[in-house]
């Protein structure tokens, strides 16, 4: 008993004295999350879709907020769902995502900085179609709650934009038909691990 109390005091003293941060990990609650996107079609309306198979882990440096948190998200490219199977199959083909060659889409943050209040700037590397580019997203932390099992959960709305041409997605599709700019809209609920 004395040894365990001493160990706890020692770790606490080290953390305080040397600024050691004990991280917390979070995992995606896929039943309450969605990775969606929209793109302007023919200049007159938005076409919407989502990826149905997504994993995400979040590591926080402290329990107070998400400053310096790391977000690591992976989507199964073949799980793209626009509500029309013929269009989904076309998007999975070599004309767009080429899912047989590039089966996953990944975003891994490099920085997470608080802007103001609940808003954060999330910068990281987006990899898809064999190309990796840096993108910056806005993350709004909607707050904390406890799920039915009494475990802490946190919610986020993440938004941002990128150009499909930067990733050679649909390079033969004119921008007058499908716009170059893709809007990302993710609703993520993560559970403390």
């Amino acid at each position: 008993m004395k040894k365990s109390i001493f160990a706890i005091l020692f770790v606490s003293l080290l953390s305080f004295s040397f600024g050691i941060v004990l991280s917390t990990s979070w995992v995606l609650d896929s039943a309450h999350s969605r990775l969606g996107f929209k793109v302007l079609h023919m200049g007159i309306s938005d076409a919407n879709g989502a990826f149905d198979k997504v994993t995400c882990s979040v590591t926080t440096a402290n329990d107070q907020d998400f400053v310096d948190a790391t977000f690591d998200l992976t989507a199964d490219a073949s799980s793209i769902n626009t509500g029309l199977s013929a269009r989904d199959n076309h998007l999975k083909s070599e004309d767009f995502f080429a899912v047989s060659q590039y089966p996953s889409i990944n975003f891994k943050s490099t920085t997470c900085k608080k802007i103001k209040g609940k808003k954060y700037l999330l910068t990281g590397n987006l990899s898809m179609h064999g190309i990796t580019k840096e993108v910056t997203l806005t993350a709004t932390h909607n707050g904390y709650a406890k799920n039915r099992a009494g475990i802490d959960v946190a919610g986020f709305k993440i938004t941002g934009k990128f150009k499909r041409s930067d990733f050679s997605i649909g390079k033969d599709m004119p921008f007058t038909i499908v716009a170059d700019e893709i809007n990302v809209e993710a609703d993520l609920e993560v559970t403390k691990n």
Side-chain angles (χ1 to χ4, degrees), residues 1 10 12 47 51 84 183:
M1 181 71 172
F10 182 71
S12 299
F51 292 93
L84 184 64
N183 293 277

Side-chain angles (χ1 to χ4, degrees), residues 64-173:
Q64 306 305 311
D65 57 28
F66 285 83
V67 171
D68 295 329
T70 302
F71 288 72
D72 192 347
L73 182 144
T74 300
D76 178 347
S78 68
S79 73
I80 194 165
N81 183 354
T82 65
L84 184 64
S85 59
R87 180 171 51 215
D88 295 344
N89 289 335
H90 190 202
L91 290 170
K92 293 175 194 178
S93 76
E94 301 300 313
D95 290 344
F96 287 91
F97 285 96
V99 298
S100 60
Q101 189 176 357
Y102 307 107
S104 63
I105 298 166
N106 180 257
F107 173 79
K108 182 158 188 172
S109 67
T110 51
T111 62
C112 183
K113 296 179 181 176
K114 186 176 263 191
I115 305 170
K116 185 179 180 184
K118 297 178 176 184
K119 291 199 178 295
Y120 295 79
L121 261 188
L122 200 55
T123 301
N125 294 314
L126 177 61
S127 301
M128 65 178 160
H129 204 246
I131 297 170
T132 300
K133 298 274 186 182
E134 185 177 82
V135 298
T136 299
L137 308 171
T138 300
T140 302
H141 177 214
N142 295 324
Y144 298 100
K146 287 194 182 287
N147 64 16
R148 293 174 73 177
I151 300 170
D152 291 332
V153 295
F156 293 90
K157 166 77 79 179
I158 298 177
T159 59
K161 299 176 182 179
F162 65 88
K163 291 184 177 179
R164 64 181 175 90
S165 59
D166 287 344
F167 297 89
S168 294
I169 302 288
K171 60 185 178 183
D172 295 328
M173 180 62 68

